[in-house]
Amino acid sequence: MKLTKENIQFIDTYLKNSNIIYVDIRLEMTDHIASAVEDKMQEENLDFYDAFKNYMIKNKAIILNNNKESNSFSWTEIKKYLLFIVQPKKLIFAMFLLLLHQFVDVNSYFSKAFSFNDLLLVLIVSISFFQIIYYFVYLKKRFYSLEKSGMILFIIYYTKMIFIPFGSEGSNALGLFFFYLIFAYSLFFFKEIRTFQKHKYNFA
Amino acid sequence: MKNSQLYKGSLNTIVMKLLEENGRMYGYEITQKVKDITKGELKITEGALYPALHKMEAEGILEVEVENVDNRLRKYYKLTQKGTTETVNKLAELEEFIKNMQSIVQPKLDF
Protein backbone atom coordinates (compact mmCIF):
# COMPACT_ATOMS: atom_id res chain seq x y z
CA MET A 1 0.00 0.00 0.00
CA LYS A 2 1.42 3.40 -1.02
CA LEU A 3 1.54 6.27 1.46
CA THR A 4 -0.38 9.49 0.85
CA LYS A 5 1.14 12.98 0.63
CA GLU A 6 -0.13 13.62 4.18
CA ASN A 7 1.61 10.47 5.49
CA ILE A 8 4.89 11.57 3.89
CA GLN A 9 4.45 15.07 5.34
CA PHE A 10 3.87 13.47 8.77
CA ILE A 11 7.19 11.56 8.56
CA ASP A 12 9.04 14.66 7.32
CA THR A 13 7.63 16.79 10.17
CA TYR A 14 8.51 14.07 12.70
CA LEU A 15 12.13 14.07 11.47
CA LYS A 16 12.24 17.88 11.41
CA ASN A 17 11.07 17.90 15.05
CA SER A 18 13.80 15.34 15.82
CA ASN A 19 16.31 18.03 14.88
CA ILE A 20 17.20 16.82 11.39
CA ILE A 21 17.58 20.27 9.88
CA TYR A 22 19.07 19.43 6.47
CA VAL A 23 16.51 18.78 3.71
CA ASP A 24 18.74 16.39 1.72
CA ILE A 25 19.43 14.17 4.76
CA ARG A 26 15.74 14.27 5.71
CA LEU A 27 14.45 13.38 2.25
CA GLU A 28 16.55 10.22 2.14
CA MET A 29 15.46 9.21 5.67
CA THR A 30 11.82 9.99 4.84
CA ASP A 31 11.98 7.72 1.78
CA HIS A 32 13.66 4.97 3.84
CA ILE A 33 11.07 5.11 6.63
CA ALA A 34 8.17 5.42 4.14
CA SER A 35 9.36 2.32 2.21
CA ALA A 36 9.76 0.34 5.45
CA VAL A 37 6.35 1.48 6.73
CA GLU A 38 4.68 0.55 3.42
CA ASP A 39 6.15 -2.97 3.68
CA LYS A 40 5.08 -3.23 7.31
CA MET A 41 1.51 -2.12 6.52
CA GLN A 42 1.27 -4.81 3.84
CA GLU A 43 2.98 -7.65 5.74
CA GLU A 44 1.31 -7.08 9.12
CA ASN A 45 -1.95 -5.59 7.88
CA LEU A 46 -1.54 -2.41 9.95
CA ASP A 47 -2.71 1.15 9.35
CA PHE A 48 -0.16 3.92 8.74
CA TYR A 49 0.13 5.22 12.32
CA ASP A 50 0.53 1.75 13.91
CA ALA A 51 3.08 0.69 11.29
CA PHE A 52 4.99 3.96 11.73
CA LYS A 53 4.92 3.72 15.53
CA ASN A 54 6.10 0.08 15.52
CA TYR A 55 8.87 0.84 13.06
CA MET A 56 10.13 3.90 14.94
CA ILE A 57 10.13 2.17 18.35
CA LYS A 58 12.52 -0.39 16.90
CA ASN A 59 14.59 1.80 14.59
CA LYS A 60 14.52 5.40 15.85
CA ALA A 61 18.01 5.32 17.34
CA ILE A 62 19.58 3.87 14.18
CA ILE A 63 17.67 6.26 11.89
CA LEU A 64 18.60 9.33 13.91
CA ASN A 65 22.19 8.15 14.00
CA ASN A 66 22.42 9.24 10.35
CA ASN A 67 22.08 12.81 11.54
CA LYS A 68 25.41 12.53 13.36
CA GLU A 69 27.07 12.55 9.97
CA SER A 70 25.98 16.14 9.44
CA ASN A 71 27.54 17.21 12.75
CA SER A 72 30.89 15.62 12.09
CA PHE A 73 33.97 16.89 10.37
CA SER A 74 33.93 15.80 6.71
CA TRP A 75 37.44 14.62 5.80
CA THR A 76 36.09 13.43 2.46
CA GLU A 77 35.08 17.03 1.62
CA ILE A 78 38.53 18.35 2.61
CA LYS A 79 40.19 15.65 0.50
CA LYS A 80 37.93 16.62 -2.41
CA TYR A 81 38.97 20.28 -2.07
CA LEU A 82 42.68 19.38 -1.85
CA LEU A 83 42.42 17.26 -5.00
CA PHE A 84 40.56 20.16 -6.68
CA ILE A 85 43.30 22.70 -5.97
CA VAL A 86 46.02 20.52 -7.48
CA GLN A 87 44.22 20.04 -10.81
CA PRO A 88 46.46 21.12 -13.75
CA LYS A 89 44.36 24.16 -14.77
CA LYS A 90 44.32 25.48 -11.18
CA LEU A 91 48.07 24.90 -10.86
CA ILE A 92 48.70 26.97 -14.01
CA PHE A 93 46.91 29.84 -12.26
CA ALA A 94 49.02 29.22 -9.13
CA MET A 95 52.18 29.42 -11.26
CA PHE A 96 50.93 32.68 -12.76
CA LEU A 97 50.47 34.09 -9.24
CA LEU A 98 53.96 32.98 -8.30
CA LEU A 99 55.42 34.70 -11.39
CA LEU A 100 53.42 37.81 -10.55
CA HIS A 101 54.96 37.78 -7.11
CA GLN A 102 58.45 37.45 -8.59
CA PHE A 103 58.18 40.26 -11.14
CA VAL A 104 55.60 42.70 -9.77
CA ASP A 105 55.75 44.56 -6.48
CA VAL A 106 52.24 43.69 -5.28
CA ASN A 107 52.74 45.86 -2.21
CA SER A 108 52.84 49.05 -4.29
CA TYR A 109 49.17 48.54 -5.22
CA PHE A 110 48.16 48.47 -1.56
CA SER A 111 48.56 50.85 1.35
CA LYS A 112 48.48 50.70 5.14
CA ALA A 113 44.84 51.71 4.99
CA PHE A 114 44.02 48.76 2.72
CA SER A 115 46.65 46.04 2.70
CA PHE A 116 46.77 42.76 0.77
CA ASN A 117 45.74 41.07 4.03
CA ASP A 118 42.60 43.25 4.05
CA LEU A 119 41.86 42.09 0.48
CA LEU A 120 42.04 38.46 1.66
CA LEU A 121 39.63 39.25 4.47
CA VAL A 122 37.24 41.06 2.09
CA LEU A 123 37.25 38.02 -0.23
CA ILE A 124 36.50 35.60 2.65
CA VAL A 125 33.71 37.83 3.98
CA SER A 126 32.23 38.27 0.46
CA ILE A 127 32.13 34.51 -0.16
CA SER A 128 30.56 33.91 3.29
CA PHE A 129 28.02 36.65 2.61
CA PHE A 130 27.15 35.11 -0.76
CA GLN A 131 26.70 31.70 0.90
CA ILE A 132 24.37 33.10 3.57
CA ILE A 133 22.25 34.87 0.91
CA TYR A 134 22.21 31.73 -1.24
CA TYR A 135 21.15 29.43 1.64
CA PHE A 136 18.73 31.60 3.53
CA VAL A 137 17.30 33.98 0.91
CA TYR A 138 17.47 32.09 -2.41
CA LEU A 139 17.04 28.44 -1.34
CA LYS A 140 15.25 29.15 1.95
CA LYS A 141 16.16 25.59 2.97
CA ARG A 142 19.31 24.04 4.37
CA PHE A 143 21.19 21.34 2.47
CA TYR A 144 24.07 19.41 4.02
CA SER A 145 25.58 18.64 0.60
CA LEU A 146 26.16 22.40 0.16
CA GLU A 147 26.87 23.56 3.70
CA LYS A 148 29.51 20.92 4.44
CA SER A 149 31.94 22.79 2.17
CA GLY A 150 31.54 25.87 4.40
CA MET A 151 33.95 24.47 6.97
CA ILE A 152 36.76 24.58 4.37
CA LEU A 153 36.43 28.38 4.20
CA PHE A 154 36.37 28.40 8.00
CA ILE A 155 39.66 26.45 8.11
CA ILE A 156 41.25 28.74 5.47
CA TYR A 157 40.20 31.80 7.52
CA TYR A 158 41.65 30.51 10.80
CA THR A 159 44.86 29.24 9.19
CA LYS A 160 45.29 32.66 7.56
CA MET A 161 44.76 34.31 10.94
CA ILE A 162 47.59 32.21 12.40
CA PHE A 163 50.09 32.90 9.62
CA ILE A 164 48.96 36.40 8.58
CA PRO A 165 47.33 38.00 11.64
CA PHE A 166 45.45 41.31 11.69
CA GLY A 167 47.78 44.24 11.08
CA SER A 168 50.26 42.39 8.85
CA GLU A 169 50.45 43.37 5.21
CA GLY A 170 50.34 39.85 3.81
CA SER A 171 51.72 40.83 0.41
CA ASN A 172 54.26 38.04 0.32
CA ALA A 173 54.34 34.51 -1.12
CA LEU A 174 52.29 33.25 1.83
CA GLY A 175 49.65 35.94 1.19
CA LEU A 176 49.49 34.90 -2.48
CA PHE A 177 49.19 31.27 -1.40
CA PHE A 178 46.13 32.14 0.70
CA PHE A 179 44.78 34.23 -2.19
CA TYR A 180 45.06 31.08 -4.33
CA LEU A 181 43.33 28.95 -1.66
CA ILE A 182 40.43 31.42 -1.42
CA PHE A 183 40.11 31.84 -5.20
CA ALA A 184 40.18 28.05 -5.70
CA TYR A 185 37.61 27.67 -2.91
CA SER A 186 35.18 30.01 -4.70
CA LEU A 187 35.53 27.88 -7.87
CA PHE A 188 35.10 24.73 -5.76
CA PHE A 189 31.95 26.10 -4.18
CA PHE A 190 30.44 27.04 -7.57
CA LYS A 191 31.18 23.51 -8.75
CA GLU A 192 29.29 22.20 -5.70
CA ILE A 193 26.33 24.45 -6.59
CA ARG A 194 26.33 23.11 -10.16
CA THR A 195 26.26 19.50 -8.86
CA PHE A 196 23.52 20.47 -6.43
CA GLN A 197 21.38 22.01 -9.19
CA LYS A 198 21.83 18.85 -11.26
CA HIS A 199 20.39 16.79 -8.38
CA LYS A 200 17.32 19.05 -8.34
CA TYR A 201 17.09 18.79 -4.56
CA ASN A 202 15.57 22.24 -4.63
CA PHE A 203 12.13 21.03 -5.65
CA ALA A 204 11.93 19.33 -2.25
CA MET B 1 24.86 -5.72 10.71
CA LYS B 2 25.37 -9.30 11.90
CA ASN B 3 28.96 -10.03 12.97
CA SER B 4 29.62 -6.41 12.10
CA GLN B 5 33.38 -6.56 12.61
CA LEU B 6 33.72 -9.28 9.97
CA TYR B 7 31.45 -7.60 7.42
CA LYS B 8 32.38 -3.96 8.07
CA GLY B 9 35.32 -3.82 5.67
CA SER B 10 33.25 -5.34 2.88
CA LEU B 11 30.24 -3.01 3.00
CA ASN B 12 31.43 -0.84 0.10
CA THR B 13 32.20 -3.89 -2.02
CA ILE B 14 28.77 -5.38 -1.29
CA VAL B 15 27.06 -2.11 -2.34
CA MET B 16 29.22 -1.74 -5.45
CA LYS B 17 28.54 -5.34 -6.52
CA LEU B 18 24.77 -4.84 -6.11
CA LEU B 19 24.87 -1.62 -8.13
CA GLU B 20 26.93 -3.30 -10.83
CA GLU B 21 24.24 -5.97 -11.15
CA ASN B 22 21.15 -3.79 -10.77
CA GLY B 23 22.14 -0.51 -12.42
CA ARG B 24 20.72 1.96 -9.94
CA MET B 25 19.25 1.42 -6.46
CA TYR B 26 18.00 3.45 -3.49
CA GLY B 27 19.02 2.95 0.14
CA TYR B 28 16.07 0.89 1.38
CA GLU B 29 16.22 -1.29 -1.73
CA ILE B 30 19.89 -2.10 -1.00
CA THR B 31 19.13 -3.15 2.60
CA GLN B 32 16.25 -5.37 1.43
CA LYS B 33 18.24 -6.91 -1.41
CA VAL B 34 21.07 -7.90 0.95
CA LYS B 35 18.52 -9.32 3.40
CA ASP B 36 16.85 -11.33 0.61
CA ILE B 37 20.07 -12.68 -0.91
CA THR B 38 21.44 -13.80 2.47
CA LYS B 39 17.99 -15.04 3.61
CA GLY B 40 17.99 -12.60 6.52
CA GLU B 41 21.46 -13.60 7.74
CA LEU B 42 23.02 -10.24 6.90
CA LYS B 43 21.19 -7.04 7.77
CA ILE B 44 22.78 -3.74 6.76
CA THR B 45 21.75 -1.01 9.17
CA GLU B 46 20.77 2.45 7.95
CA GLY B 47 23.41 3.93 10.25
CA ALA B 48 26.16 2.09 8.35
CA LEU B 49 24.72 2.22 4.83
CA TYR B 50 23.99 5.92 4.28
CA PRO B 51 27.34 7.31 5.51
CA ALA B 52 29.05 4.72 3.26
CA LEU B 53 26.91 5.76 0.26
CA HIS B 54 27.59 9.48 0.90
CA LYS B 55 31.32 8.85 1.20
CA MET B 56 31.42 6.90 -2.06
CA GLU B 57 29.40 9.69 -3.73
CA ALA B 58 31.90 12.31 -2.54
CA GLU B 59 34.78 10.16 -3.78
CA GLY B 60 33.23 10.00 -7.26
CA ILE B 61 32.57 6.24 -7.09
CA LEU B 62 28.79 6.75 -7.13
CA GLU B 63 26.54 9.33 -8.73
CA VAL B 64 23.06 10.30 -7.72
CA GLU B 65 19.71 10.75 -9.45
CA VAL B 66 16.79 12.25 -7.52
CA GLU B 67 13.27 11.38 -8.66
CA ASN B 68 9.74 11.95 -7.42
CA VAL B 69 8.31 8.49 -6.62
CA ASP B 70 5.09 7.73 -4.71
CA ASN B 71 4.61 11.26 -3.29
CA ARG B 72 8.20 11.59 -2.11
CA LEU B 73 11.69 12.25 -3.42
CA ARG B 74 13.92 9.23 -3.89
CA LYS B 75 17.69 9.30 -4.20
CA TYR B 76 19.02 6.62 -6.55
CA TYR B 77 22.69 5.66 -6.56
CA LYS B 78 24.58 4.28 -9.53
CA LEU B 79 28.21 3.54 -10.32
CA THR B 80 30.28 6.13 -12.18
CA GLN B 81 32.88 5.03 -14.71
CA LYS B 82 35.49 5.29 -11.97
CA GLY B 83 33.19 3.25 -9.71
CA THR B 84 32.79 0.50 -12.31
CA THR B 85 36.57 0.11 -12.60
CA GLU B 86 36.92 0.23 -8.82
CA THR B 87 34.28 -2.52 -8.43
CA VAL B 88 36.39 -4.93 -10.51
CA ASN B 89 39.42 -4.22 -8.28
CA LYS B 90 37.42 -4.44 -5.05
CA LEU B 91 35.83 -7.76 -6.06
CA ALA B 92 39.22 -9.21 -7.01
CA GLU B 93 40.56 -8.05 -3.62
CA LEU B 94 37.63 -9.63 -1.81
CA GLU B 95 37.97 -12.92 -3.69
CA GLU B 96 41.66 -13.00 -2.79
CA PHE B 97 40.74 -12.33 0.85
CA ILE B 98 38.13 -15.14 0.88
CA LYS B 99 40.66 -17.53 -0.71
CA ASN B 100 43.28 -16.67 1.92
CA MET B 101 40.79 -16.98 4.76
CA GLN B 102 39.71 -20.37 3.43
CA SER B 103 43.33 -21.54 3.34
CA ILE B 104 43.71 -20.51 6.97
CA VAL B 105 40.39 -21.82 8.25
CA GLN B 106 40.33 -25.03 6.20
CA PRO B 107 43.95 -25.75 5.27
CA LYS B 108 44.50 -28.51 2.72
CA LEU B 109 47.01 -30.73 4.42
CA ASP B 110 49.62 -32.45 2.28
CA PHE B 111 50.46 -35.94 3.43
Side-chain angles (χ1 to χ4, degrees):
Chain A
M1 189 188 280
K2 300 295 173 201
L3 298 188
T4 63
K5 264 188 178 173
E6 289 71 30
N7 296 153
I8 299 295
Q9 191 57 50
F10 178 87
I11 300 173
D12 188 65
T13 311
Y14 176 87
L15 293 175
K16 206 189 276 183
N17 293 338
S18 302
N19 216 18
I20 299 168
I21 54 168
Y22 294 112
V23 174
D24 43 355
I25 291 188
R26 220 165 54 225
L27 83 83
E28 198 162 37
M29 285 192 217
T30 302
D31 182 45
H32 189 99
I33 296 170
S35 305
V37 168
E38 281 172 351
D39 281 356
K40 221 172 174 53
M41 284 165 74
Q42 194 152 0
E43 285 161 14
E44 297 170 30
N45 205 19
L46 297 170
D47 69 3
F48 168 71
Y49 291 102
D50 284 335
F52 176 75
K53 196 175 73 189
N54 290 357
Y55 179 78
M56 288 315 282
I57 288 171
K58 221 171 152 187
N59 297 287
K60 188 179 177 182
I62 301 168
I63 290 278
L64 296 185
N65 204 32
N66 280 320
N67 200 33
K68 274 190 188 163
E69 194 190 349
S70 64
N71 299 325
S72 60
F73 203 72
S74 175
W75 283 110
T76 321
E77 192 68 8
I78 293 172
K79 207 172 119 192
K80 211 163 102 181
Y81 169 71
L82 292 176
L83 287 173
F84 182 82
I85 63 172
V86 293
Q87 285 173 352
K89 273 185 194 169
K90 316 286 176 314
L91 285 179
I92 290 170
F93 179 71
M95 290 296 286
F96 168 75
L97 280 179
L98 199 68
L99 285 174
L100 192 79
H101 175 251
Q102 291 291 320
F103 298 108
V104 180
D105 179 18
V106 181
N107 216 16
S108 64
Y109 293 94
F110 294 91
S111 64
K112 272 199 169 171
F114 189 80
S115 65
F116 191 76
N117 192 11
D118 293 330
L119 175 72
L120 296 179
L121 199 67
V122 166
L123 288 174
I124 292 174
V125 171
S126 306
I127 297 169
S128 312
F129 192 66
F130 172 80
Q131 288 177 328
I132 290 167
I133 300 284
Y134 186 70
Y135 301 150
F136 296 100
V137 180
Y138 178 71
L139 292 175
K140 294 190 183 81
K141 282 169 185 166
R142 301 187 66 180
F143 295 87
Y144 177 64
S145 52
L146 275 175
E147 290 190 27
K148 68 180 172 184
S149 65
M151 70 170 168
I152 297 170
L153 190 63
F154 194 73
I155 295 169
I156 294 173
Y157 172 74
Y158 277 100
T159 322
K160 186 205 82 68
M161 289 296 280
I162 293 167
F163 292 103
I164 316 171
F166 276 127
S168 358
E169 287 182 340
S171 55
N172 49 20
L174 197 62
L176 281 173
F177 174 67
F178 276 103
F179 179 81
Y180 174 65
L181 288 184
I182 298 164
F183 177 78
Y185 174 79
S186 60
L187 294 180
F188 178 79
F189 183 68
F190 278 110
K191 193 174 157 265
E192 293 287 284
I193 290 181
R194 275 210 309 274
T195 315
F196 171 77
Q197 296 286 0
K198 206 174 80 186
H199 287 177
K200 292 178 184 164
Y201 282 134
N202 45 342
F203 64 72
Chain B
M1 201 186 266
K2 197 181 177 185
N3 296 331
S4 62
Q5 285 309 314
L6 290 176
Y7 289 109
K8 216 173 176 181
S10 308
L11 177 60
N12 287 6
T13 316
I14 294 170
V15 171
M16 286 158 85
K17 172 72 181 161
L18 286 178
L19 292 174
E20 188 196 43
E21 282 175 359
N22 298 282
R24 63 172 204 174
M25 294 175 92
Y26 56 97
Y28 182 74
E29 192 183 8
I30 294 172
T31 59
Q32 294 311 102
K33 192 86 183 173
V34 171
K35 208 169 123 185
D36 287 351
I37 294 171
T38 62
K39 296 184 177 66
E41 275 294 301
L42 180 59
K43 284 177 190 161
I44 299 180
T45 62
E46 299 84 331
L49 177 67
Y50 290 106
L53 286 172
H54 299 160
K55 195 163 181 270
M56 285 194 277
E57 186 195 340
E59 285 169 351
I61 292 169
L62 303 182
E63 60 184 339
V64 159
E65 283 169 4
V66 182
E67 261 175 46
N68 207 333
V69 180
D70 298 332
N71 298 318
R72 57 191 184 257
L73 289 175
R74 179 163 286 168
K75 203 171 162 185
Y76 286 97
Y77 293 90
K78 65 177 185 180
L79 289 169
T80 58
Q81 203 155 12
K82 182 186 167 189
T84 311
T85 320
E86 195 96 336
T87 307
V88 178
N89 299 336
K90 284 267 185 188
L91 283 172
E93 250 175 52
L94 187 62
E95 272 168 30
E96 192 66 29
F97 172 76
I98 295 168
K99 216 170 80 186
N100 288 334
M101 286 307 287
Q102 251 167 355
S103 319
I104 294 167
V105 179
Q106 295 172 319
K108 280 179 191 161
L109 299 173
D110 293 325
F111 292 103

